[in-house]
Amino acid sequence: MKLSWIIAAIILASAGAWAAIQFSQPKELQLQTSFEFPTPQAIAPFSLTDQHGKAFTNDDLSGKWSLFFIGYTSCPDVCPTTMGKLTAAYPSLSEHADLQVIFLSVDPQRDSTDTLLNYANFFNPEFVAVTAEHKQLYPITRSLGFVYAMVGDGEDYQVDHSASFALVSPNGEKVAVIKPKSDTPGKLPQIKNSALIHDVHALIAKYEKG
């Protein structure tokens, strides 16, 4: 009889230890359109210029969340659509945290300071619009996981570029990439605002809990 009690106690203790381990382990986030990096990724040093003609560097990422995406103001479709969607999502995105949206132009030849200022103001004056010469752009775009390429000749050239976003923490480190997704075969992938807002809130909440 005593042996059976001892065995039962061992089983209960083992079950309790297993439960404690399970509850102590952080749960994986259920993200809808994003990939979270296992560890935050450092961003290469950069020096850009914003729409007000001021320097924009790694220091400007400190103390706030940053949502980056790349494009150019002459973009005929993806960029204005993205800017419009971000304008609609911004109140919700910044509801629980200090978050800046950063439009990174990869067309410095045409996107002057005045052009960027007018473009940002048309959508949301609170957005940050930045650019630089290509030699400054390459390190930061690579570091954020973006790619771009100039296509065509003459004044009407276009720029092929990534359509994803990068979420950067208040420590200035990349924590996630937010990618277009298609739920229907044959339909163009996109980032839905509902999924974007859900994922950004989830990532920020996890980060702030430590």
Side-chain angles (χ1 to χ4, degrees):
M1 190 69 170
K2 289 182 179 181
L3 181 60
S4 62
W5 277 105
I6 292 172
I7 294 173
I10 292 173
I11 292 173
L12 287 172
S14 299
W18 179 87
I21 292 172
Q22 294 300 309
F23 283 111
S24 65
Q25 291 179 341
K27 293 183 179 179
E28 184 177 347
L29 290 183
Q30 299 301 310
L31 300 174
Q32 297 180 6
T33 191
S34 306
F35 170 78
E36 180 188 12
F37 294 98
T39 57
Q41 306 292 301
I43 294 177
F46 63 86
S47 180
L48 310 172
T49 303
D50 71 12
Q51 71 264 42
H52 303 291
K54 297 181 179 179
F56 189 88
T57 69
N58 299 73
D59 291 340
D60 293 288
L61 306 180
S62 178
K64 64 184 71 176
W65 288 88
S66 301
L67 187 65
F68 275 91
F69 75 104
I70 69 170
Y72 62 115
T73 64
S74 302
C75 178
D77 40 39
V78 174
C79 296
T81 299
T82 300
M83 289 288 281
K85 292 175 68 174
L86 283 171
T87 297
Y90 184 67
S92 296
L93 289 171
S94 57
E95 183 179 6
H96 303 300
D98 187 3
L99 180 143
Q100 60 183 346
V101 172
I102 303 170
F103 171 68
L104 176 56
S105 169
V106 289
D107 187 12
Q109 181 175 334
R110 292 182 295 198
D111 287 348
S112 65
T113 299
D114 288 341
T115 301
L116 290 176
L117 179 61
N118 291 333
Y119 195 73
N121 284 346
F122 179 81
F123 291 100
N124 190 328
E126 295 186 40
F127 289 178
V128 179
V130 294
T131 194
E133 294 303 315
H134 292 295
K135 63 182 179 180
Q136 278 88 38
L137 288 174
Y138 289 142
I140 177 63
T141 53
R142 283 198 300 267
S143 191
L144 291 170
F146 299 147
V147 294
Y148 71 95
M150 322 311 282
V151 178
D153 300 315
E155 296 181 358
D156 295 327
Y157 66 88
Q158 295 190 4
V159 186
D160 285 348
H161 59 84
S162 302
S164 56
F165 302 152
L167 184 65
V168 176
S169 77
N171 287 337
E173 298 174 317
K174 183 175 63 173
V175 298
V177 58
I178 300 163
K179 303 180 290 185
K181 183 179 179 182
S182 177
D183 297 325
T184 305
K187 189 175 181 180
L188 187 68
Q190 61 175 318
I191 298 174
K192 294 182 178 179
N193 272 5
S194 57
L196 169 66
I197 293 167
H198 171 276
D199 288 3
V200 168
H201 284 177
L203 288 159
I204 291 175
K206 176 182 176 180
Y207 180 93
E208 293 182 347
K209 286 179 182 177

